[in-house]
Amino acid sequence: MSRITLAHANTIITSALEKGAELGLKPLSVAVLDPGGHLLAFQRQDGASTLRPEIATAKAAGALALGVSSRTIGDMAADRPSFIGSLGAIAPKGVLPAAGGVIVVGADGFPIGAVGITGDTSDNDELCALAGIAAAGLKPQE
Amino acid sequence: MSRITLAHANTIITSALEKGAELGLKPLSVAVLDPGGHLLAFQRQDGASTLRPEIATAKAAGALALGVSSRTIGDMAADRPSFIGSLGAIAPKGVLPAAGGVIVVGADGFPIGAVGITGDTSDNDELCALAGIAAAGLKPQE
Amino acid sequence: MSRITLAHANTIITSALEKGAELGLKPLSVAVLDPGGHLLAFQRQDGASTLRPEIATAKAAGALALGVSSRTIGDMAADRPSFIGSLGAIAPKGVLPAAGGVIVVGADGFPIGAVGITGDTSDNDELCALAGIAAAGLKPQE
Amino acid sequence: MSRITLAHANTIITSALEKGAELGLKPLSVAVLDPGGHLLAFQRQDGASTLRPEIATAKAAGALALGVSSRTIGDMAADRPSFIGSLGAIAPKGVLPAAGGVIVVGADGFPIGAVGITGDTSDNDELCALAGIAAAGLKPQE
């Protein structure tokens, strides 16, 4: 598996939103990016606020930017807030230090894309991202 | 009520400034935005400093961006400073973590706009925003 | 009809892509925005290049920014290139002067969103946008 | 007269909008800036599109930025498009090469602010700006 297709991306989003509905979460926004950080597909549920597309994208793009999940970026920001804060100025899509952004890897372990979700708690956002990735038969970066 | 008109916006601003005068507050700046975060009307009182238009706008635009008042964003920033700080880079009009930015909702509970005020204490700024919204016969988001 | 729902947006995209397939067009990217210019849904077909999300978004966001289709903005740019060129610096999502960005209006004639498509010729992009809007039971701005 | 007050700014806007109504123009957006290019007051009429606040502001701010009306900047752009085009990247509020942005001068001939209007033809926009300035008892830069 060397590439996330649009079909994969749509499955990830649909499954993530189903997971959110199953858990009774707030309206979610889900972005799927290619390994270069460019949007493949996105959906924002009714009632979600206006910056959610940028937040979902920044969780995923930031993960690809640093090579770790946005949860790990959140941990890094707790230790080194100025370092993470300084990245906003040089990362066109942002780097968002909160769980919900997960890198998807191919069979060789290299990133083939990323998923970013926002809307509920960061933990729940991430849980839905992982559910979406699994539903598409893909694997998150460990 | 599905739309804030310019007439509403002018009433909100005039009434907010009257409230400020009644309370003897410092010079205020008041922005009223449509639900997409675009300016409908703005007034800056004599003596207010130069960034006040951007601050008032960022309070209101940030509230719409995240779907909560700028007071709540202030609370979020106290808990998670790096998360809120990271939004500045991806929100063209900013996200300002201090009271004074209030979402206005329509009959169906969806945002129809927002008001942002700056100039005095954040608490007083918010109080004037609420007074303006009430004077226009509109409702703030709970 | 005062609001484009996510269900509408997904129908618009699916139908626009079906139209593209029917016509044998190159890989398309389709963005659907709310009336404030914020993304509701997006899909990029396999093989489309990296800036397509931004181009599709800029066609739709530019249309909402100026209140006319991106085709009309293209005509304006032919007459007044410096005027249209100057807008890029003040429009966070850009203003793109080429057909394919179409405003969707509600029963009262006000914008309720916009569709932006890129990938094939501008004329074909627009044709797919119109097909998508019609399939969702919505109306383009005349 | 060394300063445009908020009262002046409100009179300029109200009078400019009255002129527009008298002439049957499309919905207008009117910005009044202080001599540093910072917003004093703004109103956007119902039905005006989303980028109008930025366009009105850029007409006025660009005029102050270069010390000439935005009509003159339009003439400059016709002669030297790359020069005017390059300013967008360094002018935070933009430089807009089309009539409708007019500098207001004090008794000593120095700028005390500027008015920017957008919504109808550039000529009509400028005509309303001049009407507003005159109604406030102020003088445009010759």
Side-chain angles (χ1 to χ4, degrees):
Chain A
M1 177 55 46
S2 67
R3 193 176 292 279
I4 291 185
T5 62
L6 176 56
H8 284 307
N10 284 333
T11 298
I12 290 171
I13 294 176
T14 305
S15 304
L17 295 181
E18 282 170 5
K19 188 70 178 178
E22 184 189 316
L23 298 174
L25 305 187
K26 293 193 213 164
L28 299 179
S29 299
V30 187
V32 181
L33 275 56
D34 71 19
H38 304 287
L39 198 62
L40 283 173
F42 174 81
Q43 292 187 38
R44 173 161 58 115
Q45 290 193 298
D46 299 333
S49 61
T50 58
L51 194 67
R52 298 297 167 180
E54 285 74 20
I55 295 175
T57 300
K59 284 190 180 180
L64 290 164
L66 298 188
V68 295
S69 71
S70 67
R71 170 181 295 279
T72 299
I73 298 175
D75 295 340
M76 294 164 70
D79 283 345
R80 308 165 68 198
S82 292
F83 173 69
I84 296 300
S86 73
L87 301 178
I90 55 175
K93 293 175 187 178
V95 172
L96 212 137
V102 179
I103 293 176
V104 182
V105 291
D108 60 1
F110 278 87
I112 59 171
V115 179
I117 302 190
T118 182
D120 204 88
T121 65
S122 294
D123 285 348
N124 283 336
D125 294 342
E126 186 186 57
L127 196 152
C128 292
L130 294 171
I133 293 166
L138 298 171
K139 289 176 46 184
Q141 188 182 64
E142 296 296 316
Chain B
M1 176 55 48
S2 66
R3 194 175 292 280
I4 292 187
T5 63
L6 175 56
H8 284 305
N10 284 332
T11 298
I12 290 170
I13 294 176
T14 304
S15 304
L17 295 181
E18 283 171 4
K19 189 70 179 178
E22 184 190 314
L23 298 175
L25 305 187
K26 292 192 214 164
L28 299 180
S29 299
V30 187
V32 181
L33 275 57
D34 73 19
H38 305 287
L39 198 62
L40 283 172
F42 173 81
Q43 291 188 39
R44 174 161 58 114
Q45 290 192 299
D46 299 334
S49 60
T50 58
L51 196 65
R52 297 296 168 178
E54 285 74 19
I55 297 175
T57 300
K59 284 190 180 181
L64 290 165
L66 297 190
V68 295
S69 71
S70 68
R71 170 182 295 279
T72 299
I73 297 174
D75 295 340
M76 293 165 70
D79 283 344
R80 308 166 66 200
S82 291
F83 173 71
I84 295 300
S86 73
L87 301 180
I90 56 173
K93 294 176 183 175
V95 171
L96 210 138
V102 179
I103 293 176
V104 182
V105 291
D108 60 2
F110 277 88
I112 58 171
V115 179
I117 301 190
T118 182
D120 205 89
T121 66
S122 294
D123 285 348
N124 283 335
D125 294 342
E126 186 186 58
L127 197 152
C128 293
L130 294 171
I133 293 167
L138 298 172
K139 289 175 47 182
Q141 188 182 62
E142 297 295 317
Chain C
M1 178 53 49
S2 65
R3 194 174 292 277
I4 290 186
T5 63
L6 176 56
H8 284 306
N10 284 333
T11 299
I12 290 171
I13 293 176
T14 304
S15 304
L17 295 181
E18 282 170 5
K19 188 70 179 180
E22 183 189 316
L23 298 174
L25 305 186
K26 291 192 214 163
L28 299 180
S29 299
V30 187
V32 181
L33 277 57
D34 73 18
H38 305 286
L39 199 60
L40 283 172
F42 173 81
Q43 292 188 38
R44 174 161 57 115
Q45 289 193 299
D46 299 334
S49 60
T50 57
L51 195 66
R52 297 297 168 180
E54 285 73 19
I55 296 175
T57 300
K59 284 190 180 182
L64 291 164
L66 297 188
V68 296
S69 71
S70 67
R71 171 181 294 279
T72 298
I73 298 175
D75 295 340
M76 293 164 70
D79 282 345
R80 309 165 67 199
S82 291
F83 172 71
I84 295 300
S86 73
L87 301 180
I90 56 173
K93 293 176 185 174
V95 171
L96 210 139
V102 179
I103 294 175
V104 181
V105 292
D108 60 2
F110 277 88
I112 58 171
V115 180
I117 302 188
T118 182
D120 205 89
T121 66
S122 294
D123 285 349
N124 283 337
D125 293 342
E126 186 186 57
L127 197 152
C128 293
L130 293 172
I133 293 167
L138 299 172
K139 289 175 49 182
Q141 188 183 63
E142 298 293 318
Chain D
M1 178 52 49
S2 65
R3 194 174 292 278
I4 291 186
T5 63
L6 176 56
H8 285 307
N10 284 332
T11 299
I12 290 171
I13 293 176
T14 304
S15 303
L17 295 181
E18 282 171 4
K19 189 69 179 179
E22 184 190 316
L23 297 175
L25 304 187
K26 291 192 214 163
L28 298 180
S29 299
V30 187
V32 181
L33 277 55
D34 72 19
H38 304 286
L39 198 62
L40 283 171
F42 173 81
Q43 292 187 38
R44 173 161 57 118
Q45 290 193 298
D46 299 334
S49 60
T50 57
L51 195 66
R52 298 298 167 179
E54 285 75 19
I55 297 176
T57 300
K59 284 190 179 182
L64 290 163
L66 297 188
V68 296
S69 71
S70 67
R71 170 182 294 280
T72 298
I73 297 175
D75 294 341
M76 293 164 72
D79 282 345
R80 309 166 66 199
S82 292
F83 173 70
I84 296 299
S86 72
L87 301 178
I90 54 176
K93 293 176 185 175
V95 171
L96 212 138
V102 179
I103 293 175
V104 182
V105 291
D108 60 3
F110 277 88
I112 58 170
V115 180
I117 301 189
T118 182
D120 205 88
T121 66
S122 294
D123 285 348
N124 283 335
D125 294 342
E126 186 186 57
L127 197 151
C128 293
L130 295 170
I133 294 166
L138 299 171
K139 289 177 47 184
Q141 188 183 62
E142 298 293 318

